[in-house]
Amino acid sequence: MIRWSNSNISDIKSFRKLSNNNSIPVLGFGVFNLKERDEFDGALNCALDAGYRHFDTASIYGNEDMLGRAISESGVNRSEVFVTTKLWKSDFGYKATINALNNSLLRLDMDYVDLYLVHWPQKEKLAETWEAIEEIYTSGKAKAIGVCNFSIDYLKLLFRHCKIKPMINQIEHHPYLLQKELVGFCFDREIQVVAHSPLMWGRIVNDDTLKGISYEYKKSPAQIVLRWNLQKGIAVIPKSANRERIIENADIFDFHITESDMNKIDSLDKNLRVGGAPLSL
Ligand code: NDP
C-alpha cells in the first residue's frame, strides 16, 4: 500500500517529485467555478496569505486571466507559484493544441505554465494532440505535462503514441471513489496522482464515519479527507470561496492519521463520483 511518511508532508511547502524531477506542491487551490472578479480576487488573496502556492485552472473555467492578474498583483514571484492549466476537448489536434496553450499563456500573462494537462480523454486526434503537448514541454512552455480523467485503457493507448509519458493523472478521488486499480497503475509508472473534487463538492463532510474520526483528531471532516489523500501519496486541489474554509483546508500538516483510521476511511469506497464519468475506450 502506498503511504507518504510524515516528513514528506510536514508543511504547506511540501511537494512531490515528478518523474522529470520537477516538483509539485502537495496542496493546491482549485479555481473551478470562481468566475466573478471580486470573489476570485478575495479567494486568491486569502489562499496566497494562507500559504497556497499551487493553483489549478483550465481554459474552460474562463478565469485564467483572473488567476494571472491576481498572482501578478499579489507581488509573489512567478517562480514561487505552481500554475496548472488544461487543454479542452474542442482544441484537440496538433495545431489547435499549440494555439490553445499559447492563448492560455496570453490570458495568464505568463511565459510558461508549471503543468499542462489534457482535460478529458478522447480517442480522436489523441496522438497528434499529445505530440503537440510533447513539443510544448520540450520548448519549455510547460514545465510538466499530464492528463486528467484517464482510465488505465486510455493511459495504455497514450503510451502507444507517446515519446514522453504523462507525469500526472488528475482524477476525481475521495473516500467514496478510491479507484484503487487506476491509482496503483499510475504509481507503478511514476505518474503522480492529483485528486480533483477531493471534497466531493463539499458533500463528503456529512459522512458519519468521517465525522467520528474528525472528532477524535480535533480536525474537521474536510481536513481528515485532505490529509488522508496526502498520506496515500495523492496531491489535492480543494476549491473554496470562503475565507474560513480556505484556511481550514490548508491546516492539514500538524497531525497524522493512524493506519487503522486510514483503512477505516478506505472502507467507505462506494465507487461514487460527482463529476462526469470518463468514457471508456
Ligand atoms: P471540491 O471537492 O474541492 O469541493 C468544492 C466545494 O466544497 C465547494 O462547494 C466549497 O464550498 C466546498 N468546501 C470547500 N472546503 C470545504 C470545507 N472545508 N468544508 C465543507 N465544504 C467545503 O470540488 P471541485 O470540483 O471544485 O474540485 C476542486 C478543483 O479540482 C477544482 O476547483 C478544479 O480546479 C479541479 N477539478 C478538475 C477537474 C478535471 O476534470 N480535471 C474536474 C473537477 C475539478 P465553498 O466555496 O462555499 O467553501
Side-chain angles (χ1 to χ4, degrees):
M1 195 173 300
I2 305 145
R3 293 284 185 252
W4 264 344
S5 73
N6 260 355
S7 58
N8 289 337
I9 38 175
S10 55
D11 62 38
I12 198 166
K13 293 191 175 130
S14 303
F15 59 84
R16 182 77 174 163
K17 271 248 181 293
L18 302 177
S19 60
N20 68 345
N21 270 333
N22 280 17
S23 304
I24 183 169
V26 297
L27 176 68
F29 186 74
V31 300
F32 178 49
N33 263 338
L34 287 171
K35 290 200 177 112
E36 301 302 324
R37 172 100 196 255
D38 286 351
E39 185 182 51
F40 192 100
D41 286 352
L44 239 287
N45 287 329
C46 178
L48 283 163
D49 286 348
Y52 294 80
R53 290 293 181 271
H54 165 184
F55 300 96
D56 184 272
T57 185
S59 58
I60 197 78
Y61 299 169
N63 58 16
E64 291 171 305
D65 55 341
M66 287 189 241
L67 178 62
R69 194 172 47 223
I71 291 171
S72 155
E73 288 175 0
S74 74
V76 173
N77 275 339
R78 170 68 187 91
S79 60
E80 288 172 34
V81 289
F82 185 102
V83 175
T84 302
T85 195
K86 313 185 190 91
L87 175 83
W88 190 238
K89 291 188 284 189
S90 52
D91 289 320
F92 267 41
Y94 184 87
K95 218 165 175 330
T97 297
I98 301 279
N99 287 340
L101 182 271
N102 285 334
N103 288 332
S104 284
L105 289 177
L106 278 176
R107 287 189 291 267
L108 286 160
D109 195 18
M110 291 176 181
D111 301 330
Y112 66 91
V113 286
D114 296 276
L115 177 62
Y116 197 45
L117 299 174
V118 174
H119 204 148
W120 202 258
Q122 179 171 276
K123 245 191 324 189
E124 196 192 343
K125 299 188 194 164
L126 179 61
E128 56 203 269
T129 298
W130 192 256
E131 193 188 337
I133 296 226
E134 289 176 336
E135 165 62 31
I136 285 164
Y137 174 65
T138 311
S139 74
K141 288 184 175 178
K143 303 291 179 197
I145 52 176
V147 295
C148 304
N149 307 303
F150 268 47
S151 62
I152 293 176
D153 284 347
Y154 259 106
L155 286 169
K156 284 181 178 167
L157 178 67
L158 184 60
F159 293 161
R160 288 213 287 278
H161 296 298
C162 71
K163 288 197 206 87
I164 305 170
K165 271 200 315 194
M167 290 133 207
I168 298 273
N169 192 9
Q170 187 185 108
I171 58 171
E172 182 177 336
H173 186 271
H174 44 67
Y176 288 176
L177 183 70
L178 261 67
Q179 309 202 66
K180 273 186 189 160
E181 208 190 332
L182 174 59
V183 170
F185 182 91
C186 290
F187 273 85
D188 287 348
R189 285 153 187 83
E190 295 186 297
I191 299 172
Q192 174 63 43
V193 174
V194 175
H196 75 62
S197 313
L199 300 174
M200 209 187 168
W201 296 351
R203 295 179 194 170
I204 202 74
V205 304
N206 298 316
D207 180 273
D208 285 337
T209 303
L210 290 170
K211 281 186 190 167
I213 295 173
S214 79
Y215 181 77
E216 284 168 36
Y217 286 82
K218 297 188 174 53
K219 286 283 175 181
S220 70
Q223 290 171 322
I224 296 290
V225 168
L226 296 173
R227 179 76 195 185
W228 165 84
N229 269 290
L230 299 196
Q231 287 185 208
K232 289 171 84 67
I234 295 175
V236 288
I237 47 169
K239 170 264 169 185
S240 178
N242 173 279
R243 184 181 163 73
E244 281 73 36
R245 289 192 284 276
I246 292 170
I247 294 168
E248 175 188 327
N249 294 344
D251 184 16
I252 55 171
F253 295 98
D254 60 351
F255 70 108
H256 180 75
I257 304 173
T258 64
E259 194 64 21
S260 135
D261 286 333
M262 289 293 289
N263 292 335
K264 214 187 274 181
I265 302 170
D266 280 2
S267 71
L268 298 175
D269 191 12
K270 303 181 206 292
N271 197 27
L272 189 66
R273 55 176 84 237
V274 283
L279 299 172
S280 46
L281 270 178

